[in-house]
Each structure stands twice: as structure tokens, then as C-alpha cells.
Amino acid sequence: DVQLVESGGGSVQTGGSLRLSCVASGNAGRWKDVAWFRQAPGKGREGIAGINNAVDTTHYLPSVAGRFTISQDGAKKTAFLEMDNLKPEDTAMYYCAADWRTDGFYGPPLTPARYQYWGQGTQVTVS
């Protein structure tokens, strides 16, 4: 099986920065897609940044574009989310998700169904 583990969350002041990491372990080769989602209290889970390696594209939620940057290592088993100019509305649990399936279409980028495995999340609090 595959495990995804996030790290790097914490508490920062408005305007600060954080860098989240996500590491895949277990029976994990190179992922096909990787993304970061977040869920604030009382709200649904939203996709905020993703990489589609099949077509070498990245996707961002408009509210984070220009402030957040997703990246991955060459082995495609570690992903990062660099978050700058953080705002209180960025406060949420942040989740890493990745997909290794190549047998069909599971949904557009940044939609939950597209991703096969999920991490447990790391909390980000901006005050």
C-alpha cells in the first residue's frame, strides 16, 4: 500500500510564509498527479494546487495563485507547497493527495475523485 505524510504546518502571522512537504512511502513508484487540498472548519475540502505530470501542467485555485507554489522532486515521491503572504482565510487543515492510476479518467485536476491516496493532514493557522 501507499502512505502519504505531510509536514511543515504551524502557526504564523498574516503575511508570513510556510513550506509544506508531502512524502510518499510504501509501494509507491512515481505518481501521475499530486495535489494539495485544504479544509477549513465548517467548509468543504477544496483543491488549491496540483501537478499533472502526464501533460506537465500545474493548476491553482485563483485565491492562492501568485502566493502559493507547488513543486515536486525528480523522483515524483515528494511534493512541496510554498505558501507566501499568508492570510487568516488560509487557516485550514492541509492535505496532500496523489494518484498513480493510469487506467482511466477519474476527474478534473483539483477534484477529490482524481486522487487515489491521501495524507492525514497538517494544520496551518494564520492570525
Side-chain angles (χ1 to χ4, degrees), residues 12-18 63-64 66-68 82-90 126:
V12 296
Q13 292 186 336
T14 299
S17 298
L18 283 173
S63 63
V64 307
R67 300 188 297 122
F68 291 10
E82 182 73 37
M83 305 186 295
D84 297 316
N85 191 22
L86 283 161
K87 304 175 181 181
E89 53 263 42
D90 295 318
V126 185

Side-chain angles (χ1 to χ4, degrees), residues 15-60:
S17 298
L18 283 173
R19 188 185 196 221
L20 306 184
S21 298
C22 169
V23 179
S25 62
N27 187 25
R30 293 186 172 200
W31 52 46
K32 179 173 63 68
D33 295 280
V34 64
W36 289 93
F37 286 72
R38 68 185 181 187
Q39 186 167 17
K43 296 187 177 180
R45 189 169 296 191
E46 61 179 358
I48 57 173
I51 298 175
N52 180 344
N53 286 302
V55 292
D56 195 23
T57 58
T58 56
H59 304 269
Y60 292 95

